Amino acid sequence: MNRDEWYDLARDLDWTLSYVDEKQAFPDEWTGAGEVPPSAWKDWDEPFRASYREYVRVQREKDAGAYAVKEAFKRARGFERLDPGHQAAAMMHMGAIAMVEQMAVTMEARFARFAPSPRWRNIAVYGMLDEIRHAQLNLSFSHDLLKQAPQFDWANKAFHTNEWGVVAIRHFLDDTLLGSSCVDSAVVTNLTLEHGFTNMQFVAFAAAAMDAGDVSFSNMLSSIQTDEARHAQQGFPTAGILARFDRKRAQDLLDASFWRSLRLFHLLTGPAMDYYTPVHLRKHSFKEFMTEWVVHHHLRVLEDMGLAKPWYWDQFMLSLEHGHHAVHIGTWFWRPTVWFNPCAGVSRAEREWLVEKYPGWEDSWGVLWDEIIRNVNAENMGKTYPETLPALCNLCQLPLGTALDRHHLRPYTTTYGPRLYHFCSEPCQWIFGLDPERYAGHMNVVERFLAGQIQPMNLEGALEWMGITRDVMGNDAFQYRWAKDYAR
Amino acid sequence: MGETRKDAAKGRLRTWSALGQLGRTPTEYEIVTHAMNHTTTRPLPLEMGPGTFANRYLRRHRDEAATSVSDWNRFRDPDEMTYRKYNRVQDQAETFVDRVLEEYADRRQADRSHAPEWLDGLQAMLTPQRFAVHGLQMSAAYLAQIAPASYIGNAAAFQTGDELRRVQRLAQRTLQLQLAHPERAFGNTDRERWERDRDWQGARRAIERTFAVRDWDEAFVALNLVVKPAFDAVFLAGLSTLARRHGDEVDALLLETLLADSQRSARWSRALARFAIEQRPDNRAALRLHLAAWRPLGDELIAGGSALLARFGSVRDDGAVARGALDALAFEAGVG
Amino acid sequence: MAGPQPFAIYGRFVGDFVPHLVSALMSDTMPELAEKVAVHSVGRRLPARPGGRYQVLLDGKVIPDQVTLGELIAERRLPPLSWFDVSWRD
């Protein structure tokens, strides 16, 4: 039996409701059809097709492979021998991502219930199952490493904490994955985040992990990526239909999600690629990889849908040059507040690489690092730690100044109601302005601190509030040995 | 132990800190399922403003539902279903179905030998199920997204997968019957029957009403303790028996095999209800309230469904059997 | 009202990459405020200047030394977390 012959019989299953109101069955807050007429959804179609029967067989085989590699690596106890920079990247990834996979289960379940097309509802069931797979693979992998590294507890724990990086991720993804309509979620997540982000965070990271000798992690990431290609398909037909009937909404959504995704990449992928990955294993810089895999892809997608480049394109290009360097130095400086050991990544050899890839690096960042290095070599360690919180963006939750560099640092503020809101950039400010009611009620970490939610109001209190325990509290991955490069 | 004293001294964890008080080694199921819903353990579920739609929705329809316990993460699905286990189990089950379809429908061309009355029956009762089951699939997905713990949400997600499985197998049967009897245009009248046939309206009404449910506990009772078991009792168990009476081994075996998925749903649903009541006896009243509201719809579904079966030669009191199944489930769940 | 009442501001030392949360006092003069801002950047990520003095800028304009934060807040109706710049005076 040819699957194509019965496929439509399994998915063209809409009917006219009689015993429940259409709006009750498909409330717009969850469906998100908006201005798109119901008839438009009949054209929703996805290129990927799978039968349930094939799915369970193929996935069973895939898992047999992925778990076998994991078991072999576990027996070899190889993780502890890996480069500390790679270890940090793995710990950061697990803490940041494992729970997101589970959140995506909920999002796909949302599609399976509320999407305006039965074809879409069906494909979402595979997506839902895929994301369970990813969450459980990540957890299984991390759990194996607990005895060697307590930081992997954060694969399960991170999102239950108020750690600042987690708050930033949650601000974006609780909204997108758990608090948005099907249409919005599909465009932001499947189309923008998954297609762009996973190419870097998963594919590139898999390659880097393999090079670093972390066969198990690499294999797991690659295996996960084979599923992404399938369920990320949901974004294209959805965005296409949206672009036809509500162009402004499609454009705004894509522009907002692209910028927010970039900020997520600044937090996670950029530092991992340009600072944590051992320098001799770096095949591309973050900027190169973004340009080749994400930028070109996203521009093609926009073009296919008859949409324009984001209005902030020039700022985006500049941010590509700087943002992750900013987040990196900030993460390193505030290292006690993260659950892994950040790798400074500024030894002489690494610095040469950075300068080659980012010609302005010395003036934007080298100057700052030089002062840190002086303090390390003078054993003035107190000066290499912070004594207060950084100013934070009310949209992306990352520190002000981390979208660009120190020369471009300036305020972006909006007064809405009784409150003053700060933003790291014009795009973040613009996103807030698109739907102020969506964002205005939220308090960032600084505001919570000022409201007395962190007690006592000092570093100890902040660490406890963030769930950072002594056994995971971050310190330099190489115990500052790299600073010797600069010692007189 | 989550940590032995020695481990604790060295800062080593033997399992997730969240599972630390277990008192034994965690199972693989627990390792990959425990506390994976980060929105249920805080007063504000989402990292969004308190007044936003989604935060208000989750608080109202999930966190403030009448059925509540101190920690839903103590619930365990008796099948301990993980993704790995699910695919193993279902791959095996699907292999069996493949063989049935190949053997009977393809090789033996069994569809060609059915009496016209039975072909009428298949057109009326088997192929239109695609719509009904799509509805069950949708409501299972709702339960998956609104569940107050990953232990519950995951079970509902696998149930959603089961329904997709069923729809696809029904679609395949529809195609096979089309090919065997092109003049009957199997499948073409399904939507009309689902929307118009008097005996289908009980099922349609019950399933459509589940689309209006918002509170997680009502969603659970409505779907898993009433509508789905009622539907499966008639259209899987009852229809399977009737198919065999008509010499239709393909459909008898297919529907029987799909019953295993249905029974799995009943297992964790019973366990969940019992768990809720053990943890907080007042939950029994909350669950029974929902049951009382939904049972009449279940009975109407059964009435219509058994009338359908009777139209096509059933000599069983299908209604009584199905109602009995609902009663038994409710009793075993502690809400009967 | 210029007593020892705390008032939170965002203070950016010009040349550093990030502004900081600074708990200042209403009674702080500009040099006192500048010190509270500078301590998070100067000597940490920017070199100190022996004998160097600071100045405070609000919306790009230098504020005279003797003005207190409380006076500034009252005059300009500044909300908490207003952005202040501190730079070397040269």
Side-chain angles (χ1 to χ4, degrees), chain A residues 254-325:
Chain A
L254 280 161
D255 291 348
S257 62
F258 191 65
W259 181 261
R260 294 216 68 173
S261 298
L262 173 68
R263 297 301 275 138
L264 188 67
F265 305 167
H266 283 158
L267 176 65
L268 296 177
T269 319
M273 265 189 163
D274 284 358
Y275 291 93
Y276 298 6
T277 301
V279 67
H280 62 282
L281 297 177
R282 294 175 201 168
K283 297 209 168 60
H284 310 270
S285 70
F286 173 70
K287 185 175 72 176
E288 284 166 346
F289 207 95
M290 276 289 287
T291 306
E292 186 181 332
W293 285 96
V294 178
V295 171
H296 290 161
H297 166 83
H298 191 73
L299 290 180
R300 252 198 334 271
V301 163
L302 289 168
E303 201 183 337
D304 285 348
M305 289 193 292
L307 296 174
K309 250 174 19 179
W311 60 268
Y312 54 73
W313 195 251
D314 290 343
Q315 295 182 58
F316 168 79
M317 293 306 288
L318 195 57
S319 189
L320 211 50
E321 198 67 37
H322 292 302
H324 63 298
H325 297 295

Side-chain angles (χ1 to χ4, degrees), chain A residues 9 15-16 18-19 24 52-53 55 59-60 110 113 122 136 143 153 159-160 174 442 448, chain B residues 15 17 35 38 42 47 83 86 91 95 98 130 137 145 168 195 201 204 208-209 211 214:
Chain A
L9 288 166
W15 71 87
T16 306
S18 303
Y19 305 102
Q24 264 192 309
Y52 176 95
R53 197 277 165 274
Y55 182 89
Q59 296 303 101
R60 179 186 182 180
R110 179 109 56 235
R113 168 61 184 84
N122 271 7
Q136 298 193 345
H143 195 268
D153 186 40
F159 279 52
H160 293 283
D174 276 5
H442 178 263
R448 290 183 214 178
Chain B
T15 187
S17 56
H38 72 285
R42 11 167 69 105
E47 191 65 40
Y83 182 85
Y86 183 74
D91 183 33
T95 302
D98 281 342
R130 293 178 294 129
Q137 181 184 306
Q145 71 198 255
Q168 292 198 354
E195 288 181 353
Q201 298 319 296
R204 184 157 84 92
E208 285 188 13
R209 289 307 303 159
F211 297 162
R214 298 292 183 258

Side-chain angles (χ1 to χ4, degrees), chain A residues 397-413:
Chain A
Q397 311 299 303
L398 296 178
L400 304 186
T402 61
L404 297 171
D405 75 344
R406 63 201 189 99
H407 299 308
H408 292 89
L409 178 54
R410 47 145 287 195
Y412 294 94
T413 59

Side-chain angles (χ1 to χ4, degrees), chain A residues 72-374:
Chain A
F73 200 68
K74 180 176 159 187
R75 280 194 296 275
R77 287 181 71 87
F79 187 81
E80 16 187 57
R81 296 197 291 268
L82 298 174
D83 180 275
H86 171 75
Q87 288 181 346
M91 291 166 182
M92 178 173 73
H93 175 98
M94 282 306 179
I97 299 302
M99 193 67 82
V100 174
E101 305 282 15
Q102 187 77 33
M103 290 156 68
V105 176
T106 302
M107 179 190 74
E108 295 283 352
R110 179 109 56 235
F111 297 166
R113 168 61 184 84
F114 292 107
S117 154
R119 297 175 175 182
W120 181 358
R121 293 196 292 268
N122 271 7
I123 204 78
V125 178
Y126 295 121
M128 198 173 60
L129 294 173
D130 284 343
E131 300 294 5
I132 296 178
R133 174 179 194 236
H134 301 166
Q136 298 193 345
L137 256 175
N138 277 299
L139 290 169
S140 195
F141 178 94
S142 297
H143 195 268
D144 284 349
L145 291 170
L146 271 180
K147 279 203 199 115
Q148 297 169 51
Q151 292 92 336
F152 283 102
D153 186 40
W154 278 63
N156 182 260
K157 172 179 169 174
F159 279 52
H160 293 283
T161 74
N162 294 313
E163 197 277 339
W164 65 269
V166 172
V167 170
I169 298 169
R170 286 187 59 219
H171 187 274
F172 179 26
L173 298 184
D174 276 5
D175 182 336
T176 288
L177 299 176
L178 304 178
S180 291
S181 70
C182 295
V183 171
D184 286 356
S185 286
V187 173
V188 177
T189 309
N190 299 138
L191 187 58
T192 313
L193 192 59
E194 277 183 334
H195 260 281
F197 188 51
T198 58
N199 266 332
M200 287 197 306
Q201 185 73 2
F202 289 76
V203 171
F205 199 11
M210 186 62 85
D211 289 341
D214 195 346
V215 175
S216 181
F217 191 40
S218 178
N219 193 69
M220 185 200 73
L221 291 173
S222 298
S223 193
I224 284 176
Q225 189 59 11
T226 62
D227 301 326
E228 290 299 326
R230 171 180 49 242
H231 66 245
Q233 294 299 320
Q234 290 169 96
F236 288 98
T238 304
I241 290 171
L242 188 65
R244 273 210 300 285
F245 290 92
D246 194 342
R247 198 191 152 88
K248 180 176 192 307
R249 181 179 165 199
Q251 184 79 58
D252 285 348
L253 205 49
L254 280 161
D255 291 348
S257 62
F258 191 65
W259 181 261
R260 294 216 68 173
S261 298
L262 173 68
R263 297 301 275 138
L264 188 67
F265 305 167
H266 283 158
L267 176 65
L268 296 177
T269 319
M273 265 189 163
D274 284 358
Y275 291 93
Y276 298 6
T277 301
V279 67
H280 62 282
L281 297 177
R282 294 175 201 168
K283 297 209 168 60
H284 310 270
S285 70
F286 173 70
K287 185 175 72 176
E288 284 166 346
F289 207 95
M290 276 289 287
T291 306
E292 186 181 332
W293 285 96
V294 178
V295 171
H296 290 161
H297 166 83
H298 191 73
L299 290 180
R300 252 198 334 271
V301 163
L302 289 168
E303 201 183 337
D304 285 348
M305 289 193 292
L307 296 174
K309 250 174 19 179
W311 60 268
Y312 54 73
W313 195 251
D314 290 343
Q315 295 182 58
F316 168 79
M317 293 306 288
L318 195 57
S319 189
L320 211 50
E321 198 67 37
H322 292 302
H324 63 298
H325 297 295
V327 176
H328 170 68
I329 189 172
T331 300
W332 188 89
F333 206 85
W334 271 267
R335 56 203 177 285
T337 64
V338 299
W339 67 90
F340 50 90
N341 294 326
C343 180
V346 290
S347 66
R348 286 273 188 217
E350 291 165 311
R351 195 160 175 159
E352 267 170 46
W353 183 90
L354 286 165
V355 170
E356 188 210 316
K357 296 295 185 184
Y358 301 90
W361 192 91
E362 279 298 348
D363 180 57
S364 296
W365 311 106
V367 167
L368 306 174
W369 279 106
D370 281 340
E371 187 66 15
I372 293 171
I373 290 165
R374 265 195 288 278

